[in-house]
């Protein structure tokens, strides 16, 4: 019994289509937000929840914790397009049983879900959940931690004033970090 939690209908529908070919896995429901997932999960009683890392209303670790509380037998697998996102580690630390990339082949997705149902913890090998790996990748990039943080916020669509407010930096300092990162 699989529940899919993703704010994109095409992803929810795609997972249903991918799992349709496996008689042992049935999608019993879906949700487009963390709040709705927490409301629906107790009545759907999923064995496994495929949870988008980035939802519009809640952080994945909050949803994981809520699901673990409301449906303790359900296993939660984070499903993301962003394997290097710091939220993956936070979701695993909150009790998720695995983390998969959305570009996984159908057979890999099914195999991973079956592994989680057998009690194994799974993580796509292309995904970095080790802080030391992330630190090494940052060092290889040539960016400072602060340049990376400012660039990440800009990539999320934040404006320089918003970045300045979030980081506590002056607007000109944000601009300088962005210029250095882009260089």
């Amino acid at each position: 019994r699989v529940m899919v939690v993703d704010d994109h209908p095409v992803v929810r529908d795609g997972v249903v289509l991918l799992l349709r070919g496996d008689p042992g896995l049935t999608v019993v429901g879906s949700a487009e937000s963390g709040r709705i997932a927490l409301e629906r999960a107790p009545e759907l009683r999923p064995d496994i929840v495929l949870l988008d890392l980035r939802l519009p209303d809640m952080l994945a670790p909050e949803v994981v914790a809520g699901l673990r509380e409301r449906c303790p037998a359900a296993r939660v697998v984070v499903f993301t397009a962003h394997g290097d996102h710091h939220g993956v580690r936070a979701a695993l630390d909150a009790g998720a049983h695995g983390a998969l990339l959305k570009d996984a082949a159908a057979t890999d997705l099914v195999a991973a879900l079956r592994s989680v149902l057998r009690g194994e913890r799974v993580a796509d090998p292309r995904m970095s959940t080790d802080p030391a790996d992330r630190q090494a990748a940052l060092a290889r990039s040539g960016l400072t931690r602060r340049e990376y943080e400012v660039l990440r916020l800009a990539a999320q669509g934040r404006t320089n004033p918003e970045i300045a407010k979030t980081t506590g930096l002056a607007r000109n300092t944000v601009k300088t970090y962005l210029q250095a990162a882009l260089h």
Side-chain angles (χ1 to χ4, degrees):
R1 298 175 56 85
V2 180
M3 179 180 181
V4 182
V5 182
D6 198 292
D7 57 325
H8 295 97
V10 71
V11 173
R12 293 190 309 267
D13 295 345
V15 170
V16 170
L17 289 172
L18 289 174
L19 298 183
R20 185 178 290 166
D22 189 302
L25 297 172
T26 304
V27 177
V28 294
S30 64
E32 57 275 4
S33 71
R35 182 185 54 77
I36 293 171
L38 295 177
E39 288 172 6
R40 289 184 183 160
E43 69 188 51
L44 294 173
R45 297 183 348 259
D47 297 309
I48 193 160
V49 177
L50 198 55
L51 174 67
D52 186 9
L53 181 66
R54 300 171 100 179
L55 294 168
D57 64 337
M58 294 177 73
L59 299 172
E62 295 172 320
V63 180
V64 170
L67 288 168
R68 303 275 303 159
E69 183 179 303
R70 288 169 176 79
C71 301
R75 301 193 178 276
V76 181
V77 176
V78 174
F79 200 42
T80 182
H82 310 280
D84 61 344
H85 193 282
H86 66 278
V88 172
R89 177 80 258 159
L92 291 170
D93 290 345
H97 299 87
L100 301 171
L101 290 173
K102 287 184 177 179
D103 68 352
T107 53
D108 293 339
L109 175 62
V110 168
L113 294 179
R114 289 191 170 286
S115 294
V116 170
L117 289 168
R118 284 193 306 268
E120 299 172 30
R121 195 166 194 184
V122 300
D124 189 297
R126 298 170 293 165
M127 207 176 272
S128 173
T129 58
D130 182 356
D133 290 344
R134 287 195 305 267
Q135 188 63 34
L138 181 62
R140 285 191 307 274
S141 76
L143 296 173
T144 67
R145 177 172 293 288
R146 193 60 121 172
E147 288 168 345
Y148 174 79
E149 179 183 10
V150 168
L151 189 59
R152 183 178 60 79
L153 292 169
Q156 292 174 352
R158 304 243 179 112
T159 65
N160 286 7
E162 290 171 336
I163 295 170
K165 185 176 181 182
T166 300
T167 60
L169 298 170
R171 287 183 190 183
N172 284 341
T173 305
V174 168
K175 185 177 177 182
T176 301
Y177 278 129
L178 283 171
Q179 288 171 336
L182 292 173
H183 184 280

